[in-house]
Amino acid sequence: MVNVISFVVILSTVYLTVIADPDCSKAEEALDNCGLHLDLIDDQDIPIPNNDEEMKDHCSKMFTNLDCIRDFNKKCLKPFPKTLFGMFGHDLRKELKHRCDKPEGRAEFLKHAECLRHKEKLGPIVQCKNNFIGQLEWITSSVKKEDETVAACCAFHQAHDCFATKIEEVCHPITGSGTKEYIDQVLESTVTEAIDYACGKYKTLDHCHEFLDKSIWDKLFEIGKDATAAGVNVHHRSSITAVVDLLNQFDNGQS
């Protein structure tokens, strides 16, 4: 639940280029699975742990999928995105170590992850993710190069607000108070540094009205509310590969 938001940090790296390497196409396919596994909410392959013993398997799989992302970073990204990914990966590893190695971290995660076992209730949270992916795909196909940075940062801020609202609505009846705050704390420890570094002055959703053309913002906001209703068919499963696709398009001069 917490990692799906963490991955959106890389949306801001719109000046990056993906190295043209045949192996990176295969690595990107693997990346889609790794991102899906790490976000937890929309993954049918990795069960949510029920107790401290099951946390061992959960943590092993989380670190394996984090290593997958680090491998893609090393093989397929140029220096600037590599720096940003490295910053994010380092902070996420610290968060996973707290979740997995500290008794209080395991207990806290198990308490709030109880919400994730109710898959039939997670639709609104999954929709936040899909709307965000829809925004990235629309930016890839429809936004001019000079507007991509602010558009991507605005998409992140809207997605963040969506997740916070829907997690509170869905999880509060199941896990009680504190789940939204727990996720915000995790975000603070994993993505704030990278977002501040990449998005600069585009720090809140309100700034989007100031720095983004109204026609772009109106459509972007519409997609962020409901991608399907806005006429966007989402193709990616993971936000991280939607970002990679955006960067590939940018590198080819097509965005």
Side-chain angles (χ1 to χ4, degrees):
M1 177 165 53
V2 297
N3 298 100
V4 66
I5 315 174
S6 300
F7 278 128
V8 300
V9 64
I10 59 173
L11 68 91
S12 319
T13 59
V14 293
Y15 292 121
L16 321 183
T17 50
V18 179
I19 296 173
D21 184 333
D23 290 339
C24 288
S25 296
K26 294 180 180 178
E28 186 176 332
E29 292 177 11
L31 192 69
D32 198 36
N33 287 323
C34 296
L36 189 67
H37 293 329
L38 275 164
D39 75 32
L40 297 177
I41 65 165
D42 201 19
D43 179 29
Q44 304 301 319
D45 295 332
I46 298 181
I48 304 300
N50 287 285
N51 51 53
D52 201 62
E53 182 64 27
E54 291 180 4
M55 282 292 292
K56 295 177 183 177
D57 183 59
H58 167 81
C59 290
S60 175
K61 290 175 178 174
M62 291 300 100
F63 280 111
T64 296
N65 285 289
L66 178 59
D67 287 342
C68 162
I69 290 171
R70 295 181 71 187
D71 287 345
F72 184 86
N73 182 27
K74 291 177 182 178
K75 294 175 181 177
C76 301
L77 295 180
K78 288 187 176 180
F80 178 63
K82 188 174 292 188
T83 297
L84 199 61
F85 262 66
M87 187 187 305
F88 166 67
H90 177 264
D91 288 341
L92 182 55
R93 183 170 290 273
K94 284 200 303 183
E95 175 59 37
L96 286 175
K97 285 181 69 66
H98 175 75
R99 179 196 303 181
C100 294
D101 295 348
K102 304 288 186 181
E104 64 273 20
R106 294 195 298 274
E108 192 173 29
F109 175 77
L110 285 169
K111 175 184 184 298
H112 297 295
E114 170 65 26
C115 179
L116 298 182
R117 281 191 278 277
H118 298 263
K119 297 290 187 183
E120 74 284 356
K121 299 181 183 294
L122 300 182
I125 301 174
V126 174
Q127 188 62 46
C128 291
K129 183 188 81 166
N130 289 337
N131 291 341
F132 172 64
I133 293 173
Q135 288 177 310
L136 294 178
E137 293 180 350
W138 181 75
I139 293 169
T140 299
S141 65
S142 304
V143 174
K144 293 185 293 186
K145 177 178 174 180
E146 59 266 29
D147 294 319
E148 287 181 337
T149 300
V150 61
C153 291
C154 289
F156 165 78
H157 292 310
Q158 188 177 2
H160 183 188
D161 287 355
C162 181
F163 281 116
T165 299
K166 297 307 179 184
I167 286 168
E168 178 70 9
E169 290 177 4
V170 172
C171 294
H172 187 275
I174 299 170
T175 56
S177 61
T179 297
K180 176 181 175 293
E181 289 74 16
Y182 172 71
I183 291 170
D184 282 342
Q185 181 275 320
V186 172
L187 279 176
E188 181 71 22
S189 66
T190 56
V191 307
T192 298
E193 184 179 3
I195 286 293
D196 287 347
Y197 179 70
C199 284
K201 60 187 176 183
Y202 315 123
K203 293 184 182 298
T204 71
L205 201 60
D206 290 339
H207 286 97
C208 298
H209 297 281
E210 181 180 353
F211 294 110
L212 195 60
D213 182 88
K214 184 178 185 301
S215 63
I216 299 174
W217 167 240
D218 286 349
K219 183 63 176 181
L220 191 70
F221 187 81
E222 180 187 3
I223 298 167
K225 296 292 286 186
D226 189 331
T228 301
V232 175
N233 295 318
V234 174
H235 301 291
H236 294 85
R237 298 187 305 159
S238 167
S239 59
I240 193 170
T241 47
V243 173
V244 168
D245 189 50
L246 172 75
L247 302 183
N248 276 320
Q249 294 276 359
F250 181 85
D251 193 37
N252 291 333
Q254 298 173 7
S255 58

